[in-house]
Amino acid sequence: MTTRILFFGQLRETAGRAETAVDLPPSVATRSALIDWLAKDDPALHAALNQDSVRLCIDKKVVLAEATFSAPNEIAFLPPFSGG
Amino acid sequence: MTATTTVLISDRPIDPDRLAADFRKQTAGSGAIAAFVGQTRAEAGAVKALALEHYAGFTEDAIAAIVDEAVSRWPLHAVSIAHRIGRMAPGDPIVFVAAAADHRRAAFEAVDFLMDYLKSEAPFWKQEVSDAGSRWIEPTDRDRQDIRRWRSAPHSGEQ
């Protein structure tokens, strides 16, 4: 099953794209495993995604760092917000 | 009491005068309307443009939750929020927030609260473009202080 991965703000620039579609292996079920898997060949992206200030959003719900997930449709990495 | 709430996220220019006029028409029975307009700062000519992005579907829901929170804290008749996304020039309106109530205190405080939340808790990402390049804006210590006021004083309007 395909999962959309979305990058916003400065993470979009670091990733070099706004989104990507992946087939997540079942072993990739936590934030840290996801970041290791997504950025295995990209230390700059790994460091950027791994920041405490970056929130993880699974199917449009922000989840805690230790949350587990299985077969989400959409995962988004959200750097600090700035509106207004 | 049910409040009428409107949230607009627009990649086209917003017109605060028209939004304010529309809001007044729909709140003719309210004794008090407070409205705020945020505009792109030129920062003494250094800033050439501001670019905002959002997360479609998620940002709208997050703002709706903030509006619900305002409606639960103050006796409001109506709330209207319009927020720009996309690329803006200095002087362009970024945000319009209005609240209507029987009395001024609730309207003033609700707009203040909504703006504090929009600054640092609404899912927008803002990039400032200047001659020196571009940089992503993050909430300042001041923004964080501003939002903490509402956590420590949940019902200041009724004190």
Side-chain angles (χ1 to χ4, degrees):
Chain A
M1 166 179 158
T2 303
T3 300
R4 287 174 80 202
I5 311 276
L6 309 178
F7 305 103
F8 289 93
Q10 55 194 340
L11 298 176
R12 175 172 50 74
E13 292 193 328
T14 308
R17 54 195 164 175
E19 67 173 276
T20 183
V22 297
D23 286 311
L24 288 182
S27 61
V28 177
T30 63
R31 173 180 170 131
S32 60
L34 174 66
I35 293 171
D36 289 348
W37 186 80
L38 267 179
K40 55 184 175 293
D41 302 318
D42 188 341
L45 180 61
H46 193 283
L49 297 177
N50 221 9
Q51 296 172 95
D52 288 342
S53 61
V54 171
R55 281 176 262 200
L56 187 69
C57 196
I58 306 289
D59 289 329
K60 296 197 164 76
K61 299 274 182 240
V62 172
V63 299
L64 297 174
E66 57 273 22
T68 58
F69 46 82
S70 82
N73 291 310
E74 190 170 283
I75 298 178
F77 287 94
L78 313 180
F81 302 160
S82 178
Chain B
M1 182 171 56
T2 309
T4 307
T5 63
T6 311
V7 175
L8 170 73
I9 295 175
S10 174
D11 60 2
R12 308 284 310 147
I14 59 173
D15 180 348
D17 295 334
R18 194 177 58 78
L19 291 163
D22 290 348
F23 192 70
R24 275 194 66 202
K25 270 183 219 148
Q26 84 181 68
T27 56
S30 300
I33 294 172
F36 173 86
V37 179
Q39 307 191 124
T40 310
R41 268 187 291 269
E43 305 290 8
V47 173
K48 300 298 174 210
L50 207 58
L52 262 95
E53 61 186 84
H54 81 313
Y55 180 3
F58 180 73
T59 302
E60 289 85 347
D61 287 354
I63 294 176
I66 294 168
V67 171
D68 285 349
E69 170 78 17
V71 168
S72 74
R73 283 179 178 230
W74 291 279
L76 304 175
H77 301 166
V79 172
S80 174
I81 294 178
H83 207 298
R84 258 305 296 278
I85 53 170
R87 194 177 170 95
M88 279 152 267
D92 285 353
I94 304 179
V95 63
F96 170 85
V97 176
D102 277 333
H103 299 284
R104 71 182 181 283
R105 189 72 59 212
F108 277 135
E109 290 192 357
V111 170
D112 198 14
F113 166 88
L114 287 164
M115 272 311 302
D116 284 347
Y117 269 79
L118 288 170
K119 286 299 278 192
S120 53
E121 296 285 325
F124 291 102
W125 296 278
K126 184 161 56 181
Q127 193 177 33
E128 198 177 80
V129 181
S130 68
D131 287 338
S134 63
R135 69 181 188 104
W136 291 94
I137 311 290
E138 295 200 0
T140 61
D141 288 342
R142 182 58 212 249
D143 292 333
R144 294 194 186 92
Q145 278 171 29
D146 285 344
I147 203 160
R148 272 200 296 274
R149 295 185 299 150
W150 305 107
R151 289 177 188 143
S152 56
H155 294 289
S156 56
E158 288 155 25
Q159 285 167 3

